[in-house]
Amino acid sequence: MNLTISGHHLEVTPALRNYVTTKLDRITRHFDQVVDIKVLLTIEKQKEKERRQRAECRIHVKGNDMFAESAHEDLYAALDQLVDKLDRQVGRHKTRLQAHHSAAKRVM
């Protein structure tokens, strides 16, 4: 699995990198066919403080690409929301694959 973490208008510190990798371990634990993960962390120059810190992630799994984004006033909270969204998407993808394979077995 390839993991790329990059920052836009911020420096990705080792603590932040460690937090992202531990959170994304939850996704790889649920679905082991993850090929590539790209995370982009951004601080936007908006007047309002809330929803200023954004986290985006693209996941390439076998047979599908998934994208999620989240914005919050705290970057760690934005990452938590992002991982929750991705976990739901990966779970749905996994159940679709399992349902497809079980339906194919019944036909034969």
Side-chain angles (χ1 to χ4, degrees), residues 16-63:
L16 192 57
R17 183 176 302 277
N18 187 28
Y19 189 78
V20 171
T21 55
T22 55
K23 285 294 184 177
L24 289 175
D25 281 342
R26 187 170 110 192
I27 292 171
T28 57
R29 195 176 24 195
H30 290 167
F31 190 67
D32 59 348
Q33 296 179 356
V34 177
V35 176
D36 190 28
I37 299 177
K38 293 181 183 176
V39 179
L40 177 63
L41 307 173
T42 308
I43 296 179
E44 295 180 351
K45 308 275 185 184
Q46 295 178 346
K47 299 265 189 212
E48 69 261 2
K49 293 288 183 189
E50 55 198 44
R51 303 184 95 45
R52 192 180 130 171
Q53 312 222 9
R54 292 175 28 119
E56 300 177 3
C57 185
R58 290 192 186 282
I59 294 183
H60 177 71
V61 296
K62 185 178 176 184

